[in-house]
Amino acid sequence: MLDSAPEFFEVHRDVRGAAVVLHVSGELDQETSAVLEGHLRQAEDLVRPPAPVVVDLGGVTFFGSSGLSLMLTHHLRCAGRGTALRLVAGHRAVLRPIEMTDLGTVLTVLPSVERALEIPRQRTD
């Protein structure tokens, strides 16, 4: 079962049109990253490209190296499927590890779910 993480960790899925949003709260560490991995795989199966998979990390209180690795892995998986993985974060617990590892140059981090759901228009020229 995907929701078998400790009580302080939760993931809620929200399907918005062709996109999938995962709202994550609690500590994202080695133990809980396995739970989020299952949710990410399900989201990747549900999303309809080019809509994104959005991971809302607004409720995350700890973002460890296993969380960073997981985001990078699924960023690459999504890209291979023709969709984007977009992270939503605006607080130090999440932004600091991304900045310290320079993954902000690879991962797309946005301030709100609404911004993350915006799909760039296809060029027609």
Side-chain angles (χ1 to χ4, degrees):
M1 175 182 233
L2 292 175
D3 295 322
S4 62
E7 291 179 27
F8 55 86
F9 185 78
E10 294 181 340
V11 180
H12 298 283
R13 182 176 61 218
D14 181 16
V15 177
R16 296 203 191 171
V20 178
V21 180
L22 298 178
H23 301 277
V24 184
S25 59
E27 297 182 357
L28 184 49
D29 56 21
Q30 187 173 4
E31 181 181 358
T32 59
S33 65
V35 174
L36 182 54
E37 166 107 35
H39 284 279
L40 281 164
R41 287 184 178 273
Q42 285 183 348
E44 290 161 0
D45 290 340
L46 290 172
V47 72
R48 292 189 315 256
V53 173
V54 176
V55 182
D56 177 5
L57 300 169
V60 170
T61 56
F62 175 80
F63 192 61
S65 60
S66 57
L68 288 167
S69 177
L70 183 65
M71 294 303 111
L72 183 57
T73 297
H74 285 276
H75 163 77
L76 296 171
R77 282 179 51 92
C78 284
R81 292 173 169 229
T83 191
L85 178 70
R86 297 181 181 158
L87 308 181
V88 174
H91 60 291
R92 186 171 173 83
V94 174
L95 294 176
R96 183 75 171 142
I98 292 171
E99 291 167 358
M100 292 296 294
T101 57
D102 208 25
L103 283 175
T105 61
V106 177
L107 301 173
T108 302
V109 183
L110 298 160
S112 70
V113 171
E114 290 71 28
R115 288 271 317 272
L117 288 170
E118 294 175 0
I119 301 171
R121 293 178 188 237
Q122 299 285 335
R123 293 184 63 167
T124 57
D125 51 322

CSV table of all heavy atoms in Angstrom, one decimal, residues 67-89:
chain,number,residue,atom,x,y,z
A,67,GLY,N,15.4,12.7,-1.1
A,67,GLY,CA,14.4,13.5,-1.8
A,67,GLY,C,14.9,14.2,-3.0
A,67,GLY,O,14.3,14.2,-4.1
A,68,LEU,N,16.1,14.7,-2.9
A,68,LEU,CA,16.8,15.4,-4.1
A,68,LEU,C,17.0,14.4,-5.2
A,68,LEU,O,16.7,14.6,-6.4
A,68,LEU,CB,18.1,16.0,-3.7
A,68,LEU,CG,18.0,17.3,-2.8
A,68,LEU,CD1,19.4,17.6,-2.2
A,68,LEU,CD2,17.5,18.4,-3.6
A,69,SER,N,17.5,13.2,-4.8
A,69,SER,CA,17.8,12.2,-5.8
A,69,SER,C,16.5,11.7,-6.5
A,69,SER,O,16.5,11.5,-7.7
A,69,SER,CB,18.5,11.0,-5.1
A,69,SER,OG,18.7,9.9,-6.0
A,70,LEU,N,15.5,11.6,-5.7
A,70,LEU,CA,14.2,11.1,-6.2
A,70,LEU,C,13.6,12.2,-7.2
A,70,LEU,O,13.1,11.8,-8.3
A,70,LEU,CB,13.2,11.0,-5.1
A,70,LEU,CG,11.8,10.4,-5.4
A,70,LEU,CD1,11.9,9.0,-6.0
A,70,LEU,CD2,10.9,10.5,-4.2
A,71,MET,N,13.7,13.5,-6.9
A,71,MET,CA,13.3,14.5,-7.8
A,71,MET,C,14.1,14.5,-9.1
A,71,MET,O,13.5,14.6,-10.2
A,71,MET,CB,13.3,15.9,-7.2
A,71,MET,CG,12.4,16.1,-6.0
A,71,MET,SD,10.7,15.8,-6.3
A,71,MET,CE,10.4,14.3,-5.4
A,72,LEU,N,15.4,14.3,-9.0
A,72,LEU,CA,16.2,14.3,-10.2
A,72,LEU,C,15.8,13.0,-11.1
A,72,LEU,O,15.7,13.1,-12.3
A,72,LEU,CB,17.7,14.2,-9.9
A,72,LEU,CG,18.6,14.3,-11.0
A,72,LEU,CD1,18.4,15.5,-11.9
A,72,LEU,CD2,20.1,14.3,-10.5
A,73,THR,N,15.7,11.9,-10.5
A,73,THR,CA,15.3,10.7,-11.2
A,73,THR,C,14.0,10.8,-11.9
A,73,THR,O,13.9,10.5,-13.1
A,73,THR,CB,15.2,9.5,-10.2
A,73,THR,OG1,16.5,9.3,-9.7
A,73,THR,CG2,14.8,8.2,-10.9
A,74,HIS,N,13.0,11.4,-11.3
A,74,HIS,CA,11.7,11.5,-11.9
A,74,HIS,C,11.7,12.7,-12.9
A,74,HIS,O,10.8,12.7,-13.8
A,74,HIS,CB,10.6,11.6,-10.8
A,74,HIS,CG,10.4,10.2,-10.3
A,74,HIS,ND1,9.5,9.3,-10.9
A,74,HIS,CD2,10.9,9.5,-9.2
A,74,HIS,CE1,9.6,8.1,-10.2
A,74,HIS,NE2,10.4,8.3,-9.2
A,75,HIS,N,12.5,13.7,-12.7
A,75,HIS,CA,12.6,14.7,-13.7
A,75,HIS,C,13.1,14.1,-15.0
A,75,HIS,O,12.5,14.4,-16.1
A,75,HIS,CB,13.7,15.8,-13.2
A,75,HIS,CG,14.2,16.6,-14.3
A,75,HIS,ND1,13.5,17.7,-14.8
A,75,HIS,CD2,15.4,16.6,-15.0
A,75,HIS,CE1,14.2,18.3,-15.8
A,75,HIS,NE2,15.3,17.6,-15.9
A,76,LEU,N,14.0,13.2,-15.0
A,76,LEU,CA,14.5,12.5,-16.2
A,76,LEU,C,13.5,11.6,-16.7
A,76,LEU,O,13.3,11.5,-17.9
A,76,LEU,CB,15.8,11.8,-15.9
A,76,LEU,CG,17.0,12.7,-15.5
A,76,LEU,CD1,18.2,11.8,-15.0
A,76,LEU,CD2,17.4,13.6,-16.6
A,77,ARG,N,12.8,10.8,-15.9
A,77,ARG,CA,11.7,9.9,-16.3
A,77,ARG,C,10.6,10.7,-17.0
A,77,ARG,O,10.1,10.3,-18.1
A,77,ARG,CB,11.1,9.1,-15.1
A,77,ARG,CG,12.0,8.0,-14.7
A,77,ARG,CD,11.3,7.3,-13.5
A,77,ARG,NE,10.0,6.9,-13.7
A,77,ARG,CZ,9.6,5.7,-14.2
A,77,ARG,NH1,10.4,4.8,-14.5
A,77,ARG,NH2,8.3,5.5,-14.4
A,78,CYS,N,10.2,11.8,-16.4
A,78,CYS,CA,9.1,12.6,-17.1
A,78,CYS,C,9.6,13.1,-18.4
A,78,CYS,O,8.8,13.1,-19.4
A,78,CYS,CB,8.7,13.7,-16.1
A,78,CYS,SG,7.7,13.2,-14.7
A,79,ALA,N,10.8,13.6,-18.5
A,79,ALA,CA,11.3,14.2,-19.7
A,79,ALA,C,11.3,13.1,-20.8
A,79,ALA,O,10.9,13.4,-22.0
A,79,ALA,CB,12.7,14.7,-19.5
A,80,GLY,N,11.6,11.9,-20.4
A,80,GLY,CA,11.6,10.8,-21.4
A,80,GLY,C,10.2,10.4,-21.8
A,80,GLY,O,10.0,9.7,-22.9
A,81,ARG,N,9.2,10.8,-21.1
A,81,ARG,CA,7.8,10.5,-21.5
A,81,ARG,C,7.1,11.7,-22.1
A,81,ARG,O,5.9,11.7,-22.3
A,81,ARG,CB,7.0,10.1,-20.2
A,81,ARG,CG,7.5,8.8,-19.6
A,81,ARG,CD,6.8,8.5,-18.3
A,81,ARG,NE,7.0,7.1,-17.9
A,81,ARG,CZ,6.1,6.3,-17.5
A,81,ARG,NH1,4.8,6.7,-17.4
A,81,ARG,NH2,6.4,5.1,-17.1
A,82,GLY,N,7.9,12.8,-22.3
A,82,GLY,CA,7.3,13.9,-23.0
A,82,GLY,C,6.5,14.8,-22.1
A,82,GLY,O,5.7,15.6,-22.6
A,83,THR,N,6.7,14.8,-20.8
A,83,THR,CA,6.1,15.6,-19.9
A,83,THR,C,7.1,16.3,-19.0
A,83,THR,O,8.3,16.1,-19.2
A,83,THR,CB,5.0,14.9,-19.0
A,83,THR,OG1,4.2,15.8,-18.3
A,83,THR,CG2,5.7,13.9,-18.1
A,84,ALA,N,6.7,17.2,-18.1
A,84,ALA,CA,7.7,17.8,-17.2
A,84,ALA,C,7.3,17.5,-15.8
A,84,ALA,O,6.2,17.4,-15.4
A,84,ALA,CB,7.6,19.4,-17.5
A,85,LEU,N,8.4,17.4,-15.0
A,85,LEU,CA,8.2,17.4,-13.5
A,85,LEU,C,8.5,18.8,-13.0
A,85,LEU,O,9.5,19.4,-13.3
A,85,LEU,CB,9.2,16.4,-12.9
A,85,LEU,CG,9.1,16.3,-11.4
A,85,LEU,CD1,7.8,15.6,-10.9
A,85,LEU,CD2,10.3,15.6,-10.8
A,86,ARG,N,7.5,19.4,-12.3
A,86,ARG,CA,7.6,20.7,-11.8
A,86,ARG,C,7.4,20.7,-10.3
A,86,ARG,O,6.5,20.1,-9.8
A,86,ARG,CB,6.6,21.6,-12.5
A,86,ARG,CG,6.8,21.8,-14.0
A,86,ARG,CD,5.8,22.7,-14.6
A,86,ARG,NE,6.1,22.7,-16.1
A,86,ARG,CZ,5.2,23.1,-16.9
A,86,ARG,NH1,4.0,23.4,-16.6
A,86,ARG,NH2,5.5,23.1,-18.2
A,87,LEU,N,8.3,21.3,-9.6
A,87,LEU,CA,8.3,21.4,-8.1
A,87,LEU,C,7.7,22.7,-7.7
A,87,LEU,O,8.0,23.7,-8.3
A,87,LEU,CB,9.6,21.2,-7.5
A,87,LEU,CG,10.4,20.0,-8.0
A,87,LEU,CD1,11.8,19.9,-7.3
A,87,LEU,CD2,9.7,18.7,-7.8
A,88,VAL,N,6.9,22.7,-6.6
A,88,VAL,CA,6.4,23.9,-6.0
A,88,VAL,C,7.0,24.0,-4.6
A,88,VAL,O,6.8,23.1,-3.8
A,88,VAL,CB,4.9,23.9,-5.9
A,88,VAL,CG1,4.3,25.1,-5.2
A,88,VAL,CG2,4.2,23.8,-7.3
A,89,ALA,N,7.7,25.1,-4.4
A,89,ALA,CA,8.4,25.3,-3.1
A,89,ALA,C,8.6,26.8,-2.9
A,89,ALA,O,8.9,27.5,-3.9
A,89,ALA,CB,9.7,24.5,-3.0
